[in-house]
Amino acid sequence: MALPLVLGIETSCDETGVALVRGDDLLVDAVASSMDEHARFGGIIPEVASRAHLEAMVPTVQRALDTAGVGLADVDAIAVTAGPGLVGPLTIGAAAAKALAVGLDVPLYGVNHVIGHAAVDELVHGPFPERLMALVVSGGHSSLLLVDDIATDVTELGSTLDDAAGEAFDKVGRLLGLPYPGGPHIDRLAREGDPDAIRFPRGLTAAKDQERHAYDFSFSGLKTAVARWVESCQDAGRPVPVPDVAASFAAAVADVLTAKTVAACRRHDVGTLVVGGGFSANSQLRELMATRCADAGIELRIPPIRYCTDNGAMIAALGAAAVRRGLEPSSLDLPVDSSMPLTRVTV
Ligand code: KG4
Ligand code: ZN
């Protein structure tokens, strides 16, 4: 018998993602993005995103089915992002998923978006080992997860106390007068600058933080330090050396993320690390993580960028893992939860 066909729907932010997974084979991953509609506002407008999801949902589902050459009647289960994310956008995805589950009479699985960012790597690099570490970094999340079972047993070791890594990049981008989202622009400029030009602070790395915040992150102090430094240039009438500021800032973020992640792997005796989320596109992070993982003998798995940004494949992957383990489906009145805790993989 063919393995179950799982349709995954993702709508937590500005991407409408629909994917089909059979077993751990990804058949199709269709995405529609409303980012262009938000760029002029300098941030995601939830109502605009909700409307875009509503308009994109049916065509994106249809495009996924057509591309995979299957019909709705072939679908065995529906997975949908239950949280965390923006309430309006989440609600649109959940409503579509419920309608499909009822109409097709198949089980529905509400799953955790952040854990999906790690789960998608199984589709790319094969089944996970018994235990692994996952670092999920994006505009909305920075979380370090110890994964004993991707569908049932995930422990949050740490997360950001303030800004997410991508968010910090976007805020510093605004400070430097770069277009939104600033992350990729800082990455590019940083490659032309000197990462040792300015010594910016490394948040929560002091000895006193080792007890309570060993694996937590904080980027707001760093952001303020960059702001002060830029102001001091302007006050003195000096031009801001943008590439050096970008490189030194990016180095500080990469240093903290990689040091804490590798320390957590060592502490928990974990030999595999998955990095996911849109910020894993960052070249300073990738380079330093590759070096430090190699030095520590840790296998580093990073999915291609299109599976790191928000997409339906990550949700279908986690749904397929839930189906494989025979987990109880979610109730058809499953609520969305904008701040869904990482202790819950499925609803
Ligand atoms: O996962 P994602 O597409 O959206 C969510 O936040 O869920 O992540 C986008 C974030 C933005 O903050 C963006 O500026 C940042 O990731 N980003 C980058 C790079 N590419 C995307 N930040 C630094 N360097 C990059 N190359
Ligand atoms: Zn995300």
Side-chain angles (χ1 to χ4, degrees):
M1 214 183 86
L3 291 164
L5 182 63
V6 179
L7 181 119
I9 297 179
E10 152 62 31
T11 61
S12 68
C13 193
D14 60 322
E15 263 96 27
T16 312
V18 178
L20 285 157
V21 165
R22 196 188 287 287
D24 47 25
D25 271 348
L26 177 63
L27 306 188
V28 62
D29 177 44
V31 180
S33 172
S34 60
M35 180 47 99
D36 293 349
E37 295 172 51
H38 306 288
R40 67 193 171 100
F41 300 109
I44 310 283
I45 308 295
E47 289 78 5
V48 173
S50 297
R51 169 60 64 105
H53 286 304
L54 201 54
E55 287 168 359
M57 184 58 66
V58 172
T60 311
V61 170
Q62 195 58 55
R63 182 152 56 88
L65 293 167
D66 292 348
T67 309
V70 298
L72 273 181
D74 299 314
V75 172
D76 297 303
I78 308 284
V80 66
T81 307
L86 302 169
V87 171
L90 286 170
T91 306
I92 307 284
K98 289 172 189 178
L100 284 167
V102 171
L104 301 172
D105 192 21
V106 296
L108 171 70
Y109 293 87
V111 307
N112 190 304
H113 174 90
V114 176
I115 297 168
H117 271 302
V120 73
D121 190 66
E122 278 203 302
L123 304 178
V124 180
H125 294 118
F128 285 155
E130 242 171 57
R131 198 168 217 223
L132 66 123
M133 198 64 69
L135 175 69
V136 178
V137 271
S138 74
H141 7 263
S142 300
S143 300
L144 191 55
L145 308 172
L146 179 61
V147 180
D148 282 294
D149 185 314
I150 194 69
T152 60
D153 193 352
V154 175
T155 310
E156 184 177 26
L157 298 182
S159 68
T160 180
L161 303 186
D162 37 62
D163 295 341
E167 191 179 4
F169 266 62
D170 295 341
K171 287 180 176 170
V172 167
R174 195 171 310 157
L175 213 81
L176 295 174
L178 304 171
Y180 173 83
H185 296 284
I186 295 187
D187 184 334
R188 181 176 40 78
L189 288 162
R191 277 176 258 159
E192 298 158 18
D194 174 7
D196 299 318
I198 311 151
R199 178 73 193 178
F200 285 129
R202 270 65 171 159
L204 298 180
T205 55
K208 68 174 169 54
D209 298 316
Q210 285 315 301
E211 209 170 300
R212 283 189 54 216
H213 296 300
Y215 306 122
D216 287 324
F217 308 106
S218 168
F219 297 114
S220 73
L222 169 61
K223 181 191 63 195
T224 307
V226 176
R228 291 237 177 82
W229 206 89
V230 169
E231 270 165 28
S232 72
C233 285
Q234 288 161 342
D235 289 350
R238 271 183 284 128
V240 179
V242 173
D244 284 351
V245 175
S248 302
F249 163 73
V253 172
D255 184 18
V256 175
L257 287 173
T258 53
K260 290 192 177 227
T261 302
V262 169
C265 290
R266 285 212 167 106
R267 162 86 174 72
H268 292 274
D269 198 18
V270 171
T272 303
L273 168 69
V274 171
V275 180
F279 185 78
S280 55
N282 178 252
S283 37
Q284 291 80 30
L285 174 69
R286 281 179 173 246
E287 252 167 56
L288 195 57
M289 195 67 99
T291 307
R292 289 186 170 169
C293 280
D295 290 348
I298 298 163
E299 180 205 10
L300 175 60
R301 297 170 50 149
I302 310 182
I305 297 305
R306 57 183 296 240
Y307 301 122
C308 287
T309 53
D310 292 349
N311 62 78
M314 57 193 263
I315 302 308
L318 197 44
V323 170
R324 261 201 303 281
R325 296 188 189 36
L327 299 190
E328 185 80 16
S330 307
S331 149
L332 279 175
D333 61 2
L334 90 95
V336 299
D337 182 353
S338 61
S339 50
M340 186 170 176
L342 287 167
T343 43
R344 308 192 70 180
V345 184
T346 57
V347 179

